[in-house]
Amino acid sequence: MAHEFKFVRTIEFSETDMAGIVHFSNFCKYMESAEHRFFRSIGYSIVTNEIDPPVGWPRVHTSFDFKKPLRFEDEIEIHLLVSELRSKSITYQFRFNKLNGTERELAATGKLTVVCVSRDGNGTMKACDIPAEIADKIEVAPADLLES
C-alpha cells in the first residue's frame, strides 16, 4: 500500500512574480501534480472512469506555510504524504524542499483535503465512499514521517 510520493522538478520562469520568487498560487499546482502522480503510481488516474460509477476529487481545504523563497531554475522536491484516510476523504501533507546539491532546504509545507464524489443523473456531485479498489491501495503514512 502507498502512503507517499516524491518527485523533482525545476522552477520555470513563468512561475515567478516580479520579485523573481515563485508566486504562491503555483504551490496549488505543485500539490495537484503530486496528487495526480501519486494516483498513477497506484494504478489509477485522478479521472477514474474505470470505476463504476466514475468518481471525482474536489478540493475542500488547502493551506500553506512558506519558509524560504523559491526562484527560477531552483530544483525542488515535492513530497506528498497521506496524513488521513477517511471513508470519503483523503488529506495529504506536502513538503516542498529546495535541493542544493545533497542538501534539502524546507521551502514550504502544505495541506490538501479532497473528497470523493460521484454524480447523479442530473450531474449533481455527492460525497461517496472511496471505492474499495482505490482505498485498499492507500494507507496513512507512519507517524514519524508526518509533521506534528
Side-chain angles (χ1 to χ4, degrees):
M1 291 199 304
H3 63 263
E4 71 179 325
F5 188 85
K6 295 178 185 179
F7 75 101
V8 175
R9 69 181 308 281
T10 303
I11 300 297
E12 301 291 334
F13 182 76
S14 63
E15 297 167 337
T16 62
D17 61 17
M18 292 295 289
I21 296 170
V22 170
H23 192 267
F24 74 92
S25 63
N26 287 298
F27 286 83
C28 288
K29 294 175 187 177
Y30 302 156
M31 288 195 312
E32 189 167 85
S33 182
E35 179 196 24
H36 291 195
R37 291 169 190 229
F38 173 70
F39 260 71
R40 285 192 297 274
S41 79
I42 62 169
Y44 289 93
S45 170
I46 199 76
V47 180
T48 46
N49 292 324
E50 62 272 0
I51 295 172
D52 189 28
V55 296
W57 303 92
R59 285 76 178 94
V60 297
H61 176 85
T62 309
S63 65
F64 299 98
D65 287 308
F66 300 100
K67 313 290 184 192
K68 295 182 182 287
L70 294 173
R71 293 178 167 39
F72 174 55
E73 293 187 336
D74 281 346
E75 291 286 316
I76 62 167
E77 175 191 71
I78 300 161
H79 186 185
L80 171 154
L81 291 155
V82 176
S83 61
E84 187 175 10
L85 178 62
R86 302 181 79 169
S87 64
K88 296 179 182 178
S89 67
I90 305 171
T91 299
Y92 306 106
Q93 281 186 4
F94 291 86
R95 294 189 186 107
F96 303 91
N97 294 303
K98 180 178 176 180
L99 304 178
N100 291 323
T102 59
E103 286 187 37
R104 283 180 168 75
E105 287 184 274
L106 184 63
T109 58
K111 184 177 178 180
L112 171 65
T113 300
V114 297
V115 172
C116 187
V117 300
S118 61
R119 293 183 186 264
D120 65 17
N122 297 324
T124 303
M125 291 188 300
K126 180 174 170 121
C128 64
D129 286 338
I130 298 170
E133 54 264 58
I134 295 174
D136 289 348
K137 293 187 174 188
I138 301 172
E139 66 183 345
V140 173
D144 62 322
L145 290 180
L146 297 171
E147 296 175 353
S148 7

